[in-house]
Amino acid sequence: MTDRNESVLVSKGVAVMVDAGTLTRADLAEALHRRVGLSRADSARMVEQILEKMCGALAEGENVKISGFGTFVLRDKGERIGRNPKTGVEVPIAPRRVLTFRASQMMRDRIAGAS
């Protein structure tokens, strides 16, 4: 531990400093750089390409499943009536598409074991 509220993420023998509670794109790129040996620029580019591919698939209405990690699922929610909590006035809530994430059983087991 350091003075700046950081922790060490160790995955497959690679130690990476991360802010406690947040793993960033830069952290992923740094881990890829250290583990695979790509340049930092190539590692950052690869992380961006992976995220762009995932975002593109979601934008086209596809779900994204990463084995052993989890599934990003798009759901269409219909119109419904909501209520303003301050005034009590009913207001229509427009239909919308929402993104949800469901962790795989393997990920849930790893998180439960880390506690």
Side-chain angles (χ1 to χ4, degrees):
M1 283 294 187
T2 67
D3 294 335
R4 282 189 329 137
N5 193 24
E6 291 182 335
S7 60
V8 178
L9 169 69
V10 179
S11 178
K12 296 184 181 177
V14 177
V16 179
M17 295 300 289
V18 294
D19 291 334
T22 303
L23 178 67
T24 66
R25 290 174 182 207
D27 295 329
L28 292 172
E30 182 65 21
L32 189 59
H33 164 71
R34 290 179 188 217
R35 176 78 171 146
V36 179
L38 294 175
S39 70
R40 283 189 168 84
D42 287 344
S43 297
R45 197 169 13 262
M46 183 172 286
V47 168
E48 289 302 321
Q49 288 173 345
I50 291 167
L51 294 175
E52 182 61 37
K53 181 71 173 173
M54 291 172 62
C55 290
L58 291 165
E60 292 178 11
E62 299 177 48
N63 294 331
V64 175
K65 182 175 184 174
I66 302 173
S67 181
F69 184 74
T71 305
F72 295 89
V73 179
L74 289 168
R75 289 185 38 224
D76 290 316
K77 297 182 97 176
E79 184 174 4
R80 64 186 177 92
I81 300 296
R83 188 176 306 274
N84 181 328
K86 198 171 203 176
T87 64
V89 175
E90 289 185 352
V91 292
I93 298 174
R96 63 200 184 282
R97 178 172 278 178
V98 296
L99 177 64
T100 61
F101 176 75
R102 178 163 169 82
S104 70
Q105 186 62 50
M106 182 185 303
M107 177 62 75
R108 287 189 297 240
D109 292 343
R110 288 182 70 181
I111 291 169
S115 301

